[in-house]
Amino acid sequence: ELLKGPAKRFLVMLKDLSYISSVGIGTFIGLRQDVQARPGGELALAGMTDAVRKVFEMSGFVRLVKVYADEAQAAEFLTR
């Protein structure tokens, strides 16, 4: 639903996610493609636990999106 609106920047807060599988990474890859298909579209992730961050790092996904430690750091991404 969010992708139907005019937003260009999307932030996914992951602080409550304790585990992610390869299927989950695939979902994020598809989301990134959908977001980048929009003019000026950007995707960012924030608030990952160490375990989830490790999976994102191993997959290489963290090189494709902006990653913030927490919501406060990500606030600038949403307001620029």
Side-chain angles (χ1 to χ4, degrees), residues 23-70:
V23 174
I25 294 292
T27 299
F28 277 96
I29 289 170
L31 175 61
R32 178 183 175 265
Q33 290 172 338
D34 291 344
V35 168
Q36 286 198 317
R38 305 168 71 89
E42 293 182 82
L43 176 65
L45 308 177
M48 286 186 260
T49 64
D50 290 340
V52 170
R53 177 183 285 277
K54 188 172 191 173
V55 175
F56 274 103
E57 287 173 350
M58 289 172 44
S59 71
F61 192 75
V62 294
R63 292 188 303 263
L64 304 176
V65 297
K66 293 176 176 25
V67 176
Y68 298 97
D70 55 39

